[in-house]
Amino acid sequence: MWPGGRAVRAVQQLTTGWRGRAGAGCVRRHLTASSRPPWRLLFFGSDHFAVESLKLLTSSRRSSEGIVESLEVVTLSGDVPVKRFAQQNQLPLHSWPPHTVDGRFDVGVVVSFGCLLPDTLINKFPYGILNVHPSLLPRWRGPAPVFHTILHGDKLTGVSIMQIRPDRFDVGPILNQQLHQVPEQCTADELGAQLATKGAQLLMDTLTTLSERMEHSVEQRNAGATFAPKIDLSMSWLVWEEQTCEQIDRLYRAIGSRIPLRTMWMGRTIKLLHCVGKCHISLSDPTRSPVPGSVSFQKETNTLAVCCKDGWVGFKTVLLKKSLTAADFYNGYLHHTPVQLFVSGGRGSEAHPMRKDSKLQCKNNHSLP
């Protein structure tokens, strides 16, 4: 560890020069061989995913592990989880962008922060700034990797520790990665919690051997890169004639806890809650093929089954003026009208993300994982 500010500033000058010259390797090898934890850390974060990493860093600062010497926090305005945690644990807080960085920190850590970091800020950290990202980069670069992991039916994901590159998201060299099997029928919230824990542990492992990890970092390849755009309301509109049972089930598990799935009935928006996936039903007239959007109430299971592209998908609850069970909706509304058909609504076929090209696109902003 550097004994004082003068030595830190000297190393920063070396580092700044190293970033722009061909002789980078010599300076880098010197730095990585000469320094070890404990580190003076500045943490950038906002949401619950970020809190898990901040918890472990805080615990390390208070223990005898020797990984964290000091810890301060940069967060966004508003009552965000990282700010609440920092206040509860008496961690020094900085607003964005921070102004008192020079010579005070060794390493930066970014977890679900959402703001681009300029080169002028990154250069103030002798060991740069690390990022905890919940995917196996370069797959699912972007603001919502966990949602797209579920949405696209990935069986395997993981967490990556990478170094931040100035003014770009998720393209820096990889220092550490760990695989994670996606559990069957897992929701985005459940997977996010699992990856937050695993990412926090991987961050601590990386900080323990940071010099060696930097020495053997691996640049990302663009081959196989995919982009994970933010989730928005347009994704929630169901297109019965185009989506399969599996696609609707995955869409519900990806975004349903934040944005209810939607359809139209008699010119009104219906929100569909508590999706139970594919249903096996017996039609009263098996010779007639139901059209997509047809609704069948299953009294035995208290489920509304809706016909989609390749079968029937079930919902236990709908939201009209208020939350209604499938039985209440059928008895109070559907049973008394001749229209027992849900109609694809919203922006129609343009709304569904499974029909969009999922290859890497330009990223203009950043949000939750």
Side-chain angles (χ1 to χ4, degrees), residues 101-273:
V101 176
D102 289 349
R104 299 185 55 220
F105 304 100
D106 308 319
V107 188
V109 174
V110 170
V111 188
S112 192
F113 186 56
C115 296
L116 285 169
L117 274 59
D119 191 49
T120 53
L121 176 60
I122 297 172
N123 284 342
K124 295 180 186 298
F125 297 84
Y127 278 77
I129 300 179
L130 310 182
N131 175 231
V132 180
H133 186 82
S135 82
L136 293 177
L137 291 170
R139 184 156 179 81
W140 301 133
R141 294 172 177 171
V146 175
F147 296 106
H148 287 272
T149 296
I150 297 294
L151 185 63
H152 290 78
D154 290 4
K155 303 298 183 184
L156 189 67
T157 185
V159 287
S160 303
I161 308 296
M162 53 160 279
Q163 282 191 295
I164 293 286
R165 285 273 170 82
D167 301 317
R168 298 184 68 188
F169 286 113
D170 307 333
V171 299
I174 302 297
L175 274 64
N176 210 348
Q177 279 188 325
Q178 188 171 358
L179 302 179
H180 183 81
Q181 196 78 29
V182 180
E184 291 288 334
Q185 295 301 304
C186 187
T187 67
D189 288 344
E190 292 166 344
L191 181 60
Q194 295 167 11
L195 294 180
T197 300
K198 184 161 287 189
Q201 295 166 347
L202 195 65
L203 172 64
M204 301 306 295
D205 175 71
T206 305
L207 288 170
T208 303
T209 56
L210 180 58
S211 297
E212 292 78 10
R213 296 286 180 182
M214 289 177 62
E215 185 73 15
H216 298 96
S217 64
V218 177
E219 293 289 339
Q220 292 187 49
R221 295 182 296 177
N222 283 327
T226 51
F227 180 66
K230 290 193 294 186
I231 62 171
D232 59 42
L233 185 63
S234 68
M235 291 181 172
S236 67
W237 288 104
L238 295 172
V239 186
W240 303 107
E241 60 272 20
E242 296 186 22
Q243 291 167 269
T244 65
C245 293
E246 183 180 0
Q247 287 174 329
I248 293 172
D249 177 60
R250 294 202 308 247
L251 180 63
Y252 172 77
R253 290 187 287 111
I255 73 171
S257 67
R258 304 192 182 202
I259 306 177
L261 303 190
R262 299 158 197 261
T263 190
M264 300 294 294
W265 176 70
M266 296 186 65
R268 305 169 72 176
T269 297
I270 300 286
K271 297 177 182 179
L272 300 171
L273 313 176

Side-chain angles (χ1 to χ4, degrees), residues 11-21 123-124:
V11 173
Q12 286 180 317
Q13 291 167 1
L14 284 172
T15 308
T16 304
W18 153 63
R19 295 179 190 276
R21 293 202 301 265
N123 284 342
K124 295 180 186 298

